[in-house]
Structure formats: structure tokens, C-alpha cells
Amino acid sequence: MIKEIVFGFIACVGFGFFFNCPKNAVIKGSIAGAIGWLVYTELVKRNHYVIIATFIGAIVLSIICEICARLYKDTVTSFALPAILPLVPGAGLYYTMFYFIQRDYDLAANKGVETLGNAVAIAIALLIVSSLTRLVFKIIREIKQQH
Amino acid sequence: MGDKVENIERLIDYSLEAGKIMLESNSEIYRAEDIITNICKSYGVENIDVFTLATCVYLTVTVDGKTYTRVKRIYNRKTDLLKISSINKLSRKIVKECISLEDFHDELVSINNIKGFSNGIRALTMSASCGVFGIMFMPSATILDFLVTFAITYTTYYLMQFLGKYSLNDFISNSVLAAYMTSLAMVAVVFNIASDIDTIVIGTIMILVPGVAVTNAVRDTINGDILSGTIRALEAVIIAFGIAFGVGIILVLANAGGLL
């Protein structure tokens, strides 16, 4: 478990530097990424479906990123872009190609659909979280204005 | 009067420049539009229409019955979160305390020249991160696999910088990079330096994987910028196909040569 957190953290830090994250956002975004990765691996270990695990991991990490963005008054993407990367299905993309070249079309189609599903799961998770946070903050603002 | 017109022209130029920096750094569309609108508003311009695509900004403002229009085309995009965050802070500052146009321009120039982390540090951390990715997906990976992935990613980073100068399209540059990485991985496996080609390729291609394009496509779409969302989703698909093509062509060659 500690291994997963450390690996997830290092992976995110690398991308944080690669995308030229603001210095104070790198560590926070990477912690969010490490937590998201931990959730994903723990769910996969417990034999949950990979796409569901990706979805829940992405939900958890994007909630953390939205909170960070509000707390530190920075753009959400500064935290979320590096954090999301461990969940992006690079391995799936490779295996799809690998099986395709081995002429194992069944497995290739299998992997291809799973890869696509993973990407869509990440997209929907981001979509839900950022729509909900926007809604919540709008409601809070309206309540504040009424008082 | 002439002074005022000149000021408005300058204001439009500078706020478009701010929008251009945002989009070149791959920011969300709504954020770029918001920033241009907020800056113009805080300098007292009321009638603002801004339309932004991932590749272009159109800005029209009307002052005293006169209309001023500018179009700015965006060619090269490269993710740079520090620039996005700095422009964001600058726009907040302008909204709060209206700074002079000269100061605004100076700040823009300094933001545009921000370097952030040096190339050496970026290459090193990125290589370490890709090496770790190999281990994350393949628990059987050895320390040698990590080192090989590290070395390949390190050289790929500089090749990427080199190719970036020639502004090739996404498909070609990603397939060239993916082919380069896969062939090096193949060499490492053939010479028995690394145990497993899967680990190395999975680790190294993470540097190319279109995570940013996917994230931005979603964020643009939910903000109602469906056209830009589509552009970015298509960009992600093109990058993914480029990677698959580059990896695939080397695997086919290796298969034909009996290496696989």
C-alpha cells in the first residue's frame, strides 16, 4: 500500500514538472494523484472491474483537486492534469496494438474497448465532479447573498 | 479623443496577448474568454464580445459607437501550467486594482518569458516517473527495466524538444517518438539488458499519452464550448493513433524479423 502511494506520487511529480506546474501546486497535485492511484489499485486488488476502479479513482482525485483549487486560489488544471495521468490507459493502448499485431483480434478488440472505456470513465468522472462543485458553489453564493 | 482610441487599441492588443498565452499553454476555453472579458471590463469597456476556439481568438469591443475587432490565430500549443496560473493571477490583480497599461504590458512580457523548471530537471523527473510507471503496471519489473526505461525516456525528452522545433503534426511526431522508443526497447531486450519489452514500452509511452487533451476536451465540453471540446477530443484520438502506429510498425518489423 505504501509502495503504491510512493509510486503514484513519483509518477505524478514527474508529470507536474513536465507540464511546468506552479511550484506550490506540484506536491499537492501529486498527493491527490497518489491517493487516486491507491484507490484504483486497492479496488482492482479486490477484483472490482477495471473501468469502475478507474472511475472511482478519478472521482476521488478530482474532488481533492477541486478542493485544493478553491483553498489555494489557483486553477484546477494545475492540480488535476498531473494527478490524472497514472489512471490514463497507456498500457491498454499498448496491449491493443500488441494483440492486433499478433493477429489475436478477439483480445485486441477486448483491450481496445477496455481502453476506450477507461478514457471515457476518466472523462465522466471529471465531468461529474466539476459540474457538481460548480453547482455547490453557486448555491453557497446564493445563500450568502440572501443573508 | 485620439489618446483614448490609442489606449483602447492597446488594451485590445494586450488582452488578446493574454488570451493567446493562455491558449498556447493549453488552458480551458472558458478561462481564456473570462480573462479577456474581465480585463477589458476593468478598464471600463462595457461592450465586449469574445469568441474563442482552441486555435483562434476573436475579440470585438464597442466604445462610443465605434467598433474595434481583432483576430488572433494560435499555432503552437504546449502545456504550461505555470503560465496559465500566472495569467490568472495577473487578471485577478487587474480586476482588483486597475494597473496602468504599461505595467500590464510589462507583466505580460515577463510571463511570456517564464521558463519554470529547467530542461535538465524536467527530463530527469519525467524519466523517473516513466520508469516508475513501468513498475506500477508490471509488478514483475526489475531494477534493470527501470533503468532502461529511464534512459530511453531521457533521450526521448530531448528528441521531443528537437522535433518540437519543426512543428510537425501530432500524428507524425507521436509516431516517430513511439517508434524510436519501441525500437530502443527492442534493442535492450534483444541484448538481454532488460527482461520484458512490455514493461519498457508501457513506461516510456506515458510521456506521449494524451492525458491533457482528454482532460481539456471534457472541461471544454461541460463549459459549453462543444466545438473546442470536439477539437481537443479529436486531438487526443490523433495522438493515440499516432502512438499506436509508431509502436505497431516496430512490432510488425520485429515480428517479421522473428524477434518477438
Side-chain angles (χ1 to χ4, degrees), chain A residues 7 11 14-15 17-21 37 73-75 85-86 88 90 94-95 97 101-102 123 126-127 130 134, chain B residues 80-82 85 88 92 115 117 122 125-126 129 132-133 136 138 198 201 206 209 212 218 222-223 244 248:
Chain A
F7 283 170
F15 278 98
F17 277 73
F18 185 57
F19 297 142
N20 209 359
C21 260
W37 174 250
K73 296 217 180 324
D74 211 332
T75 52
L85 263 142
V88 171
Y94 169 73
Y95 280 120
M97 205 59 215
I101 281 152
Q102 305 251 308
L126 287 175
L127 196 148
S130 53
R134 209 161 294 174
Chain B
D80 192 328
L81 297 171
L82 184 59
S85 159
N88 209 35
R92 277 195 189 166
K115 283 281 176 294
F117 301 110
R122 281 200 220 186
T125 47
M126 194 62 212
S129 149
V132 168
F133 264 115
M136 275 158 82
M138 290 277 167
D198 297 3
V201 176
M206 285 312 287
V209 158
V212 179
V218 175
I222 48 169
N223 288 313

Side-chain angles (χ1 to χ4, degrees), chain B residues 32 38 40 42 49 55 58 67 75 161 177 187 205 214 231 245:
Chain B
N38 287 341
C40 287
S42 54
D49 280 299
T55 47
Y58 303 80
T67 306
Y75 291 102
Q161 299 275 322
L177 290 167
V187 170
I205 59 171
V214 171
I231 293 174
F245 180 73

Side-chain angles (χ1 to χ4, degrees), chain A residues 61-104:
Chain A
L61 77 84
S62 43
I63 290 175
I64 300 173
C65 290
E66 295 274 350
I67 293 172
C68 279
R70 258 70 185 193
L71 275 184
Y72 300 104
K73 296 217 180 324
D74 211 332
T75 52
V76 186
T77 32
S78 309
F79 304 97
L81 280 191
I84 205 85
L85 263 142
L87 296 178
V88 171
L93 187 64
Y94 169 73
Y95 280 120
T96 309
M97 205 59 215
F98 183 78
Y99 292 131
F100 194 70
I101 281 152
Q102 305 251 308
R103 293 185 201 168
D104 199 336

Side-chain angles (χ1 to χ4, degrees), chain B residues 90-128:
Chain B
L90 174 63
S91 113
R92 277 195 189 166
K93 190 173 154 196
I94 289 173
V95 171
K96 225 193 226 163
E97 34 171 319
C98 207
I99 60 175
S100 75
L101 278 176
E102 281 77 21
D103 287 349
F104 180 18
H105 182 67
D106 290 346
E107 295 242 13
L108 273 184
V109 171
S110 66
I111 288 174
N112 208 6
N113 291 331
I114 285 181
K115 283 281 176 294
F117 301 110
S118 71
N119 259 337
I121 292 180
R122 281 200 220 186
L124 279 178
T125 47
M126 194 62 212
S127 318

